[in-house]
Amino acid sequence: MTGSKEVKNKKTIIIISIVALVIILSLSAYLGYIYKYTLGWNNIIYSDVKVESIDLSAKTKEEAIELLKENYGDAILNKKLSVKALDNNYEMDYSKLESKYNIEEVVEEAFDYGKDSTMLGKYKILKSNSGKEIDLDFTYDPTYIDEFIEEVSTEVNVAPTNAKLSMPSSGNFNVSEDKSGYEIDKEALKNDIVANINGKVDEKVEIEAKVDEIKATVSAEELSKINSKIASFSTKYSHNSTNDRAVNVELATNAINGKVIMPGETFSYNDIVGERTVEKGYRNAPVIVGNKVEDDLGGGICQVSSTLYQAVLRTGLKSVERYNHSLGTSYMPLGLDATVDFGSSLDYKFKNTFDSPIYIEGVTSKDRVLSFNIYGNSASTGRTYEIVSEAYETINAGVKNVEDPNLPEGQTVVEKNPINGTKVKVYRKVYENGVLIDTEFLSNDTYRSIDGIVRVGTKKP
C-alpha cells in the first residue's frame, strides 16, 4: 500500500510540475507578447490620444507636429478677422498678430502619455483605448491690434466741414453746405477685437465698429439766418494821418473783415488781429503811451478797435472787455474809444448773445474812411440805439515852471500848453419803434490831464 501511495504522489507532482511549467511558459509567452507589443509603441504616440479632436494614435513626434501645424499652426495664420466700419470692410490678418499654438509642447505631452507606466500598465492603456484629449493653447502678440485700429481710423475718421459764408458783394451772401464728420470709437473696437480673437481656425469673425457722427459746428442753416445789416459805424483816418498809420489801419481792418461770430462765441480783437509784426507788414506810427504820444509798431490800430466797438454797441450787444485810452483821441469823442495792446491785458471783446450768428464786414476806402458793417438776422433789428457821452468832471492840469539858464532873466516861454483831463460817463439809449424804452449805463472813463511846461529865463544881463 505504501508503494502505491508513493507512485500516486509522484504522478501528482509530475502533473503539477507540468501544469506549472505550462503556466510559466504561457505566462512567459504572454509577457513576451506584451513586452513586444508595448515595445512597438515606444517611439510613437499611444492609441486614442487626441489633440483638439485630431487623433495622433501611432504618430511619431515629427508626424504629429506636422499634422497639427497643417490643421492649426498654418491655418491660424490664414485666418481673418473682419471689421465693418460705415460701408467699408477691413480685414485683420492673424499672421500679423504672430498667432501661434504650443504645438511642440502639446506633442511632447501626447508622446509622454503612458510612457512612465509599468509594462502591464502600458499594455492596459493601449488595449483599453482610454486615451487622452489635450487642448492647444493659443497665443498672440496684441501689439498689432493698435496698429490695425490706427489704420482703420485713418481711413474712417474724417473731420466735419463747417458751412462757410462769403459775401461776393456788400449785403449779398453765399452759404456753402456743411458736412458731418466721422470718428471711430477706438476703445470699443479694441475691446471687441480682443474679445473675438481666438484659435478657432474655422470660425469667421465679423465685428461692426462703433463710428460716431460728428456734426459740423457751423451749419448752413445757421449761417442762412444772416440776412440783414443790423449796425454800422465809420471814422476817418485821413486827417493828420501818416501813410504808415494808414497801412496799419487797413491791415487790422482786413484781418477782421469776413469774421463770423456764432451764438455764444466771444470775439477777441487781439486773437483775431494777432500780433502786430513787421513780417505782417505793420509799420511804426504814433500811439498813446501813458500821457504822451510816441511811435511804435502798429500805431493806429486802436482806431480800428474803437470803430468796431461803436458798430457793435449799435447792435445791442454788450462788451465783455473794453478799455479807454489814457488820453483823448482825435478820431473819437471821449468815452467812445477802445484801446488794445497785444501781449498785455488790453483787449476788446464782445459776446454774441443773439440766437443767430453775426458777420463783420470791415471796409477801408480810398479817401481813408474806415467802416464796419455788422450783419445778422432781421429779427434783431427792431430796436435802434444812440450812444451818449456825458463829461461830468474836469481834471485841471497844472503848469510846471522850469528854469532855463539860456533865456534872459524875466523872460518866459510856453513849452507845452496844459491839457485838462475829463471824467466821462457813457450811456446807450434804446429805442423801439422810435420810442425810448431804456437807458443803459456803459462805462465811466477817466482821461488824464497833462501839465503844461513854462520855461523861465534865469540868464543875467
Side-chain angles (χ1 to χ4, degrees), residues 100-117:
K100 59 184 178 182
Y101 295 95
N102 58 335
I103 291 175
E104 287 79 4
E105 180 183 335
V106 167
V107 167
E108 196 68 38
E109 182 182 350
F111 181 81
D112 290 340
Y113 173 68
K115 295 292 196 303
D116 58 350
S117 300

PDB file of all heavy atoms in Angstrom, residues 100-117:
ATOM      1  N   LYS A 100       0.008  81.825 -32.718  1.00  0.00           N
ATOM      2  CA  LYS A 100       0.645  80.502 -32.684  1.00  0.00           C
ATOM      3  C   LYS A 100       0.035  79.642 -31.586  1.00  0.00           C
ATOM      4  O   LYS A 100      -0.633  80.135 -30.669  1.00  0.00           O
ATOM      5  CB  LYS A 100       2.146  80.633 -32.472  1.00  0.00           C
ATOM      6  CG  LYS A 100       2.559  81.353 -31.197  1.00  0.00           C
ATOM      7  CD  LYS A 100       4.072  81.504 -31.141  1.00  0.00           C
ATOM      8  CE  LYS A 100       4.488  82.280 -29.881  1.00  0.00           C
ATOM      9  NZ  LYS A 100       5.945  82.479 -29.815  1.00  0.00           N
ATOM     10  N   TYR A 101       0.277  78.320 -31.728  1.00  0.00           N
ATOM     11  CA  TYR A 101      -0.138  77.339 -30.728  1.00  0.00           C
ATOM     12  C   TYR A 101       1.113  76.710 -30.129  1.00  0.00           C
ATOM     13  O   TYR A 101       2.180  76.679 -30.751  1.00  0.00           O
ATOM     14  CB  TYR A 101      -0.987  76.238 -31.350  1.00  0.00           C
ATOM     15  CG  TYR A 101      -2.316  76.696 -31.896  1.00  0.00           C
ATOM     16  CD1 TYR A 101      -2.454  77.025 -33.246  1.00  0.00           C
ATOM     17  CD2 TYR A 101      -3.419  76.787 -31.068  1.00  0.00           C
ATOM     18  CE1 TYR A 101      -3.672  77.428 -33.747  1.00  0.00           C
ATOM     19  CE2 TYR A 101      -4.646  77.190 -31.568  1.00  0.00           C
ATOM     20  CZ  TYR A 101      -4.761  77.505 -32.908  1.00  0.00           C
ATOM     21  OH  TYR A 101      -5.975  77.913 -33.400  1.00  0.00           O
ATOM     22  N   ASN A 102       0.956  76.151 -28.950  1.00  0.00           N
ATOM     23  CA  ASN A 102       2.081  75.449 -28.301  1.00  0.00           C
ATOM     24  C   ASN A 102       2.148  74.013 -28.805  1.00  0.00           C
ATOM     25  O   ASN A 102       2.043  73.039 -28.035  1.00  0.00           O
ATOM     26  CB  ASN A 102       1.935  75.493 -26.781  1.00  0.00           C
ATOM     27  CG  ASN A 102       0.647  74.887 -26.281  1.00  0.00           C
ATOM     28  OD1 ASN A 102      -0.341  74.838 -27.007  1.00  0.00           O
ATOM     29  ND2 ASN A 102       0.651  74.407 -25.037  1.00  0.00           N
ATOM     30  N   ILE A 103       2.309  73.864 -30.123  1.00  0.00           N
ATOM     31  CA  ILE A 103       2.235  72.540 -30.753  1.00  0.00           C
ATOM     32  C   ILE A 103       3.325  71.608 -30.244  1.00  0.00           C
ATOM     33  O   ILE A 103       3.058  70.457 -29.861  1.00  0.00           O
ATOM     34  CB  ILE A 103       2.303  72.685 -32.287  1.00  0.00           C
ATOM     35  CG1 ILE A 103       1.014  73.353 -32.786  1.00  0.00           C
ATOM     36  CG2 ILE A 103       2.503  71.332 -32.955  1.00  0.00           C
ATOM     37  CD1 ILE A 103       1.006  73.648 -34.269  1.00  0.00           C
ATOM     38  N   GLU A 104       4.569  72.081 -30.248  1.00  0.00           N
ATOM     39  CA  GLU A 104       5.665  71.204 -29.807  1.00  0.00           C
ATOM     40  C   GLU A 104       5.470  70.745 -28.358  1.00  0.00           C
ATOM     41  O   GLU A 104       5.690  69.581 -28.024  1.00  0.00           O
ATOM     42  CB  GLU A 104       7.008  71.936 -29.940  1.00  0.00           C
ATOM     43  CG  GLU A 104       7.515  72.104 -31.367  1.00  0.00           C
ATOM     44  CD  GLU A 104       6.831  73.240 -32.103  1.00  0.00           C
ATOM     45  OE1 GLU A 104       6.014  73.943 -31.455  1.00  0.00           O
ATOM     46  OE2 GLU A 104       7.092  73.420 -33.298  1.00  0.00           O
ATOM     47  N   GLU A 105       5.036  71.660 -27.526  1.00  0.00           N
ATOM     48  CA  GLU A 105       4.807  71.338 -26.112  1.00  0.00           C
ATOM     49  C   GLU A 105       3.695  70.307 -25.946  1.00  0.00           C
ATOM     50  O   GLU A 105       3.815  69.351 -25.172  1.00  0.00           O
ATOM     51  CB  GLU A 105       4.456  72.620 -25.361  1.00  0.00           C
ATOM     52  CG  GLU A 105       4.200  72.432 -23.872  1.00  0.00           C
ATOM     53  CD  GLU A 105       3.775  73.719 -23.203  1.00  0.00           C
ATOM     54  OE1 GLU A 105       4.119  74.811 -23.726  1.00  0.00           O
ATOM     55  OE2 GLU A 105       3.083  73.641 -22.164  1.00  0.00           O
ATOM     56  N   VAL A 106       2.616  70.473 -26.711  1.00  0.00           N
ATOM     57  CA  VAL A 106       1.477  69.548 -26.621  1.00  0.00           C
ATOM     58  C   VAL A 106       1.857  68.176 -27.184  1.00  0.00           C
ATOM     59  O   VAL A 106       1.476  67.137 -26.626  1.00  0.00           O
ATOM     60  CB  VAL A 106       0.261  70.145 -27.366  1.00  0.00           C
ATOM     61  CG1 VAL A 106      -0.816  69.093 -27.578  1.00  0.00           C
ATOM     62  CG2 VAL A 106      -0.298  71.312 -26.575  1.00  0.00           C
ATOM     63  N   VAL A 107       2.591  68.148 -28.291  1.00  0.00           N
ATOM     64  CA  VAL A 107       3.025  66.868 -28.864  1.00  0.00           C
ATOM     65  C   VAL A 107       3.927  66.126 -27.881  1.00  0.00           C
ATOM     66  O   VAL A 107       3.838  64.898 -27.730  1.00  0.00           O
ATOM     67  CB  VAL A 107       3.742  67.093 -30.213  1.00  0.00           C
ATOM     68  CG1 VAL A 107       4.470  65.821 -30.661  1.00  0.00           C
ATOM     69  CG2 VAL A 107       2.739  67.532 -31.272  1.00  0.00           C
ATOM     70  N   GLU A 108       4.768  66.863 -27.187  1.00  0.00           N
ATOM     71  CA  GLU A 108       5.618  66.243 -26.176  1.00  0.00           C
ATOM     72  C   GLU A 108       4.772  65.607 -25.080  1.00  0.00           C
ATOM     73  O   GLU A 108       5.059  64.491 -24.607  1.00  0.00           O
ATOM     74  CB  GLU A 108       6.558  67.297 -25.589  1.00  0.00           C
ATOM     75  CG  GLU A 108       7.743  66.740 -24.812  1.00  0.00           C
ATOM     76  CD  GLU A 108       8.731  66.009 -25.703  1.00  0.00           C
ATOM     77  OE1 GLU A 108       8.967  66.450 -26.841  1.00  0.00           O
ATOM     78  OE2 GLU A 108       9.229  64.952 -25.254  1.00  0.00           O
ATOM     79  N   GLU A 109       3.728  66.330 -24.669  1.00  0.00           N
ATOM     80  CA  GLU A 109       2.822  65.784 -23.642  1.00  0.00           C
ATOM     81  C   GLU A 109       2.080  64.557 -24.163  1.00  0.00           C
ATOM     82  O   GLU A 109       1.911  63.561 -23.445  1.00  0.00           O
ATOM     83  CB  GLU A 109       1.820  66.867 -23.227  1.00  0.00           C
ATOM     84  CG  GLU A 109       0.866  66.423 -22.136  1.00  0.00           C
ATOM     85  CD  GLU A 109      -0.144  67.500 -21.766  1.00  0.00           C
ATOM     86  OE1 GLU A 109       0.011  68.662 -22.214  1.00  0.00           O
ATOM     87  OE2 GLU A 109      -1.113  67.174 -21.032  1.00  0.00           O
ATOM     88  N   ALA A 110       1.643  64.615 -25.422  1.00  0.00           N
ATOM     89  CA  ALA A 110       0.933  63.474 -26.023  1.00  0.00           C
ATOM     90  C   ALA A 110       1.863  62.270 -26.138  1.00  0.00           C
ATOM     91  O   ALA A 110       1.454  61.121 -25.867  1.00  0.00           O
ATOM     92  CB  ALA A 110       0.404  63.871 -27.395  1.00  0.00           C
ATOM     93  N   PHE A 111       3.094  62.526 -26.538  1.00  0.00           N
ATOM     94  CA  PHE A 111       4.054  61.432 -26.698  1.00  0.00           C
ATOM     95  C   PHE A 111       4.395  60.788 -25.350  1.00  0.00           C
ATOM     96  O   PHE A 111       4.551  59.553 -25.251  1.00  0.00           O
ATOM     97  CB  PHE A 111       5.328  61.960 -27.359  1.00  0.00           C
ATOM     98  CG  PHE A 111       6.361  60.910 -27.591  1.00  0.00           C
ATOM     99  CD1 PHE A 111       6.287  60.062 -28.700  1.00  0.00           C
ATOM    100  CD2 PHE A 111       7.424  60.735 -26.711  1.00  0.00           C
ATOM    101  CE1 PHE A 111       7.240  59.077 -28.902  1.00  0.00           C
ATOM    102  CE2 PHE A 111       8.375  59.759 -26.909  1.00  0.00           C
ATOM    103  CZ  PHE A 111       8.288  58.917 -28.017  1.00  0.00           C
ATOM    104  N   ASP A 112       4.486  61.580 -24.304  1.00  0.00           N
ATOM    105  CA  ASP A 112       4.857  61.064 -22.985  1.00  0.00           C
ATOM    106  C   ASP A 112       3.718  60.339 -22.289  1.00  0.00           C
ATOM    107  O   ASP A 112       3.955  59.627 -21.294  1.00  0.00           O
ATOM    108  CB  ASP A 112       5.326  62.211 -22.084  1.00  0.00           C
ATOM    109  CG  ASP A 112       6.672  62.765 -22.526  1.00  0.00           C
ATOM    110  OD1 ASP A 112       7.396  62.051 -23.246  1.00  0.00           O
ATOM    111  OD2 ASP A 112       6.989  63.910 -22.138  1.00  0.00           O
ATOM    112  N   TYR A 113       2.504  60.504 -22.792  1.00  0.00           N
ATOM    113  CA  TYR A 113       1.362  59.894 -22.118  1.00  0.00           C
ATOM    114  C   TYR A 113       1.529  58.384 -22.048  1.00  0.00           C
ATOM    115  O   TYR A 113       1.698  57.698 -23.061  1.00  0.00           O
ATOM    116  CB  TYR A 113       0.065  60.235 -22.847  1.00  0.00           C
ATOM    117  CG  TYR A 113      -1.130  59.507 -22.295  1.00  0.00           C
ATOM    118  CD1 TYR A 113      -1.615  59.804 -21.018  1.00  0.00           C
ATOM    119  CD2 TYR A 113      -1.756  58.507 -23.033  1.00  0.00           C
ATOM    120  CE1 TYR A 113      -2.695  59.129 -20.500  1.00  0.00           C
ATOM    121  CE2 TYR A 113      -2.845  57.833 -22.515  1.00  0.00           C
ATOM    122  CZ  TYR A 113      -3.314  58.135 -21.246  1.00  0.00           C
ATOM    123  OH  TYR A 113      -4.393  57.456 -20.731  1.00  0.00           O
ATOM    124  N   GLY A 114       1.479  57.845 -20.838  1.00  0.00           N
ATOM    125  CA  GLY A 114       1.548  56.403 -20.591  1.00  0.00           C
ATOM    126  C   GLY A 114       2.937  55.824 -20.601  1.00  0.00           C
ATOM    127  O   GLY A 114       3.132  54.666 -20.195  1.00  0.00           O
ATOM    128  N   LYS A 115       3.913  56.604 -21.052  1.00  0.00           N
ATOM    129  CA  LYS A 115       5.266  56.046 -21.200  1.00  0.00           C
ATOM    130  C   LYS A 115       5.933  55.749 -19.862  1.00  0.00           C
ATOM    131  O   LYS A 115       6.876  54.953 -19.795  1.00  0.00           O
ATOM    132  CB  LYS A 115       6.140  57.023 -21.990  1.00  0.00           C
ATOM    133  CG  LYS A 115       5.718  57.244 -23.444  1.00  0.00           C
ATOM    134  CD  LYS A 115       5.915  56.012 -24.299  1.00  0.00           C
ATOM    135  CE  LYS A 115       5.876  56.314 -25.795  1.00  0.00           C
ATOM    136  NZ  LYS A 115       4.684  56.960 -26.262  1.00  0.00           N
ATOM    137  N   ASP A 116       5.476  56.369 -18.788  1.00  0.00           N
ATOM    138  CA  ASP A 116       6.109  56.146 -17.486  1.00  0.00           C
ATOM    139  C   ASP A 116       5.408  55.054 -16.673  1.00  0.00           C
ATOM    140  O   ASP A 116       5.726  54.839 -15.505  1.00  0.00           O
ATOM    141  CB  ASP A 116       6.142  57.453 -16.683  1.00  0.00           C
ATOM    142  CG  ASP A 116       4.759  58.031 -16.478  1.00  0.00           C
ATOM    143  OD1 ASP A 116       3.810  57.532 -17.110  1.00  0.00           O
ATOM    144  OD2 ASP A 116       4.627  59.002 -15.693  1.00  0.00           O
ATOM    145  N   SER A 117       4.452  54.338 -17.295  1.00  0.00           N
ATOM    146  CA  SER A 117       3.751  53.242 -16.605  1.00  0.00           C
ATOM    147  C   SER A 117       4.571  51.949 -16.672  1.00  0.00           C
ATOM    148  O   SER A 117       5.554  51.846 -17.418  1.00  0.00           O
ATOM    149  CB  SER A 117       2.377  53.007 -17.245  1.00  0.00           C
ATOM    150  OG  SER A 117       1.573  54.156 -17.156  1.00  0.00           O
TER     151      SER A 117
END
